[in-house]
Amino acid sequence: MHSGSMQTIDDIFEAFGGISALAEDLDKEYPTVACWRAKSRRQIPRTVWPDLIVLAKQKRIKLSMTDLIAVEAHEKSTRPAVA
């Protein structure tokens, strides 16, 4: 059970066991999920959030919509500006 604070997208991926594990659990292709974590993106699509919350509950991972909103805001604030 993961009970740590989710502050970054890396925290989320770590809690679920990495890209491969999360892709498998969400029934998504590895390259799709890897793209979410890529430095140029750093964002999990909002359409996936409900499934991610359900998966977190199944795995006893503490993750809420509020956490996902905060992580998204954090990642956007730290993303390099595109020229």
Side-chain angles (χ1 to χ4, degrees):
M1 177 175 142
H2 184 277
S3 60
S5 174
M6 302 284 184
Q7 297 178 348
T8 68
I9 199 162
D10 294 322
D11 295 335
I12 293 172
F13 277 87
E14 183 180 318
F16 285 95
I19 296 169
S20 294
L22 187 57
E24 183 175 333
D25 288 341
L26 290 173
D27 197 28
K28 303 283 185 192
E29 297 291 329
Y30 179 93
T32 299
V33 177
C35 181
W36 302 344
R37 193 175 187 178
K39 288 185 181 195
S40 61
R41 179 141 183 213
R42 312 270 312 153
Q43 184 176 3
I44 297 171
R46 289 182 176 197
T47 56
V48 177
W49 291 8
D51 293 336
L52 195 58
I53 296 296
V54 168
L55 181 61
K57 287 181 184 177
Q58 291 171 351
K59 294 185 168 286
R60 299 179 56 174
I61 295 169
K62 186 176 182 276
L63 180 68
S64 67
M65 285 291 184
T66 302
D67 294 327
L68 291 169
I69 292 166
V71 166
E72 181 180 69
H74 169 78
E75 294 296 346
K76 283 183 178 179
S77 73
T78 60
R79 189 178 306 145
V82 176

